[in-house]
Amino acid sequence: MTDETYSEFTTAIDDRFLDDYPQGARYRFGVESVDADEIVEFARRYDPQSIHTDPDAAAQGPFGGLIASGWQTGALMMRLFADNYLTSVASLASPGLDELRWVRPLRPGDRLWLICETISVRHSTSKPDRGVLTTRATLVNQDDEPVLTATALNMVARRP
C-alpha cells in the first residue's frame, strides 16, 4: 500500500448524513478477495465466458489465465462501498454510476482495497432535506494497481 494520507470520518456509518462528507476527502477501505472457485461460480451464473469459467481455456486466452467478470469486480467494489463509505441511515437511492471502467483484470487471490474521493456534495434546491453525493471510487489490488474506477452518484439525506 502507498504512504498516501487518507481521511477518517468523524461520524459513524450509522450516524452519517450528506453534510458529513467533506468535498475533497479521500478514504481507503479494505480488504476483499476472491478465489478461483468463486470466480467460476459467479461467472457460470452471470457472465458465462470462458475467460471467467474455464481455467484451461482462459490460460490460452488474451489474459493468460482466469479472470473475474467485471460485474463481479463491481460487486466487490459495492460491498466495500456499502460497508464502509455510504451511510447506512441516510442513503436514499442512486441514479447510477458514470465512467465505469475495468482497468485491469481481477485474478484469483488478488486482495482489494477501495479508495473513495468525495468529488462533490450538492444540496437539492427542490428537496432541501437531501442532496447528491458524487464520489470517485477506485478499487485497487495488493500492488496498488487500479482494477476498477467509477464515479458514483448517491442521493443522501441531510441531517434532520
Side-chain angles (χ1 to χ4, degrees):
M1 292 194 297
T2 65
D3 293 336
E4 200 167 338
T5 302
Y6 293 96
S7 303
E8 291 188 24
F9 281 104
T10 58
T11 54
I13 199 165
D14 60 355
D15 188 36
R16 200 173 294 158
F17 290 83
L18 182 66
D19 299 312
D20 296 316
Y21 291 89
Q23 185 170 323
R26 288 174 45 93
Y27 306 89
R28 186 175 178 114
F29 312 104
V31 60
E32 284 287 338
S33 64
V34 291
D35 62 27
D37 290 341
E38 291 170 308
I39 288 172
V40 171
E41 179 184 348
F42 181 95
R44 283 187 178 148
R45 183 157 184 199
Y46 299 108
D47 191 356
Q49 299 180 66
S50 63
I51 57 175
H52 308 314
T53 61
D54 183 339
D56 294 329
Q60 303 306 312
F63 300 101
L66 191 69
I67 63 168
S69 165
W71 299 113
Q72 185 174 22
T73 306
L76 291 164
M77 183 280 294
M78 189 64 210
R79 184 70 211 214
L80 288 168
F81 191 81
D83 283 351
N84 298 284
Y85 180 77
L86 188 60
T87 168
S88 63
V89 293
S91 178
L92 301 173
S94 172
L97 294 171
D98 289 336
E99 304 167 7
L100 173 62
R101 299 288 182 267
W102 294 296
V103 181
R104 69 179 29 84
L106 173 59
R107 299 190 180 273
D110 280 355
R111 295 173 16 149
L112 302 171
W113 284 263
L114 178 63
I115 299 169
C116 292
E117 180 179 357
T118 305
I119 300 299
S120 68
V121 177
R122 183 175 50 86
H123 298 154
S124 173
T125 55
S126 61
K127 296 182 179 180
D129 66 331
R130 66 191 66 183
V132 176
L133 172 65
T134 303
T135 306
R136 183 70 176 161
T138 304
L139 195 64
V140 299
N141 65 18
Q142 64 279 352
D143 299 319
D144 272 330
E145 300 169 326
V147 174
L148 176 150
T149 61
T151 301
L153 306 169
N154 295 93
M155 291 184 288
V156 178
R158 296 182 72 190
R159 189 170 302 284

